[in-house]
Amino acid sequence: MATIQDVAIAAGVSAMTVSNVINDHPNVRKATREKVLDAMARLDYRVNVAARNLRKGRTGTIGLAVPTVNSPYYGRLAVAIIAAAERYSLRVCIEQTGASRENELDALSQSRNRLYDGLILSTVGMGPADVERLKVDYPVVILGEKIFGGPVDHVAMPNVDASQAATRHLIERGCRRIAMLRGPVGEDIDVSSLRFTGYQKALRGAGLPLGPDLVQSMETLTMRAGARCAREMVASGLDFDGVFCVTDTVAMGVLRGLADAGVRVPEQVKVIGFDDVEESEFLVPSLSTIDPDHDIMARRAVDLLAGRIEQTEPGADHEEFISHFSVVIRESTGG
């Protein structure tokens, strides 16, 4: 294999100049840079990234810890983060926490042992009481809603405003008895509680009653649970003409459950989800949903993490970033 010295001799420059070209140093003349790049190509020189990272005390790898890899939302999120990380020549190692507080804390405590330069952690089990556990000696970016005011950067969705917009869309389409399918009720702030707040605000804004029978809590946010809940609502005789689902995964199950019960969507019941996963566009009927701009969230999370790794913002205040959103209107609400 060719070495830096071989490239330097072939290009007629010093080894330091070759190193400056490899590291994209700005103080290299264009003609010199082109000579070095040409010599690298002729000699088939390959940069030893591992050795370069070790010299910097880095591995070039970041961790991504998510509740599950077997879901449309987290699959899309992982793809977006991997693409964003490639811009920094960072590789991504994915861990599954199972939405467990213990596993999320383990991902935090073990990141150094796993040789990550930093960690992007999607929290579900951890809560505000765990803020002190976030004080680690390496960069961490939190994705999720449960950690507020902690000593790390935080990237979140506009859950309240977007859920209010989703519910308002159902109201504008003529729905007056709108059910919401959400996760289990807990004491901590989470995705379900924030989206429930947006749902309530939309109903109050339209002067519609909030019937407790219309709020359905599920232990798991899965397609199977959504389908079962939809069938049970119909079988119980519950009067509803719209459904806001806390995730697209739940909404997919609801569409199946309503079909099983002989309920037509959108003619009898209109359904909207949240996340805009790719599968939503190809369902029959296609699913109206909230697009929280996954790509922007992924890019911002990686930008923040890479900035901390490079220490380009020493001592900078930690950032709270809230993404934008849009209502995607499809067939399930009459689009």
Side-chain angles (χ1 to χ4, degrees):
M1 291 179 61
T3 65
I4 281 184
Q5 287 74 19
D6 295 330
V7 174
I9 292 170
V13 298
S14 68
M16 178 59 73
T17 298
V18 176
S19 178
N20 287 340
V21 171
I22 290 171
N23 290 290
D24 201 25
H25 197 283
N27 296 329
V28 179
R29 289 185 301 172
K30 181 179 179 181
T32 302
R33 186 182 303 277
E34 290 175 352
K35 279 200 304 182
V36 171
L37 293 175
D38 179 65
M40 289 171 64
R42 285 188 283 109
L43 296 175
D44 194 27
Y45 175 76
R46 295 285 186 270
V47 178
N48 190 332
V49 176
R52 184 172 64 182
N53 285 337
L54 286 173
R55 286 195 296 273
K56 293 181 178 179
R58 300 178 194 149
T59 64
T61 299
I62 61 173
L64 170 62
V66 295
T68 178
V69 296
N70 187 28
S71 88
Y73 169 71
Y74 288 111
R76 177 170 179 178
L77 176 67
V79 168
I81 285 177
I82 289 169
E86 286 177 353
R87 296 183 298 124
Y88 294 96
S89 298
L90 291 169
R91 297 181 66 84
V92 181
C93 182
I94 300 174
E95 297 184 40
Q96 179 172 275
T97 63
S100 157
R101 173 180 178 272
E102 291 72 22
N103 290 342
E104 290 173 3
L105 291 172
D106 180 69
L108 268 173
S109 63
Q110 294 298 317
S111 285
R112 274 294 191 215
N113 295 339
R114 291 166 183 154
L115 300 179
Y116 300 157
D117 295 333
L119 175 69
I120 297 174
L121 173 62
S122 179
T123 57
V124 175
M126 292 173 60
D130 297 307
V131 166
E132 289 298 312
R133 306 288 288 272
L134 294 171
K135 293 180 179 178
V136 293
D137 62 350
Y138 56 87
V140 173
V141 173
I142 293 293
L143 287 175
E145 320 312 325
K146 284 198 170 184
I147 304 297
F148 295 95
V152 293
D153 296 308
H154 181 202
V155 175
M157 292 184 187
N159 287 292
V160 175
D161 290 346
S163 298
Q164 184 177 4
T167 308
R168 188 186 304 121
H169 171 66
L170 293 175
I171 295 169
E172 290 168 351
R173 290 298 167 107
C175 299
R176 292 298 177 267
R177 293 273 299 170
I178 301 171
M180 179 182 179
L181 273 60
R182 52 169 289 172
V185 178
E187 295 181 357
D188 292 338
I189 294 171
D190 61 9
V191 166
S192 283
S193 66
L194 290 170
R195 295 180 186 176
F196 178 61
T197 298
Y199 163 79
Q200 289 178 300
K201 290 178 71 173
L203 293 181
R204 284 197 298 266
L208 295 177
L210 174 63
D213 56 336
L214 290 171
V215 181
Q216 304 286 320
S217 296
M218 302 177 297
E219 287 302 314
T220 58
L221 300 179
T222 62
M223 294 184 205
R224 190 175 301 279
R228 182 172 59 249
C229 189
R231 289 193 294 266
E232 289 173 353
M233 287 194 300
V234 174
S236 71
L238 179 66
D239 177 23
F240 65 100
D241 54 10
V243 184
F244 168 48
C245 300
V246 73
T247 69
D248 280 359
T249 300
V250 171
M252 292 177 195
V254 167
L255 291 178
R256 177 72 261 174
L258 292 176
D260 291 344
V263 176
R264 299 189 309 279
V265 176
E267 293 84 358
Q268 293 174 279
V269 173
K270 293 175 172 56
V271 179
I272 191 167
F274 196 121
D275 287 334
D276 194 27
V277 299
E278 184 178 11
E279 291 84 349
S280 299
E281 184 179 357
F282 298 96
L283 300 172
V284 179
S286 57
L287 179 65
S288 295
T289 184
I290 293 294
D291 176 5
D293 207 330
H294 303 275
D295 293 336
I296 282 183
M297 290 180 63
R299 284 199 300 271
R300 192 63 195 134
V302 173
D303 287 347
L304 287 167
L305 195 68
R308 299 294 178 183
I309 291 170
E310 294 292 338
Q311 296 182 334
T312 56
E313 305 174 45
D317 291 337
H318 290 96
E319 180 172 330
E320 183 92 8
F321 176 81
I322 308 296
S323 70
H324 307 290
F325 75 91
S326 59
V327 180
V328 181
I329 302 172
R330 299 194 180 108
E331 295 167 346
S332 67
T333 58

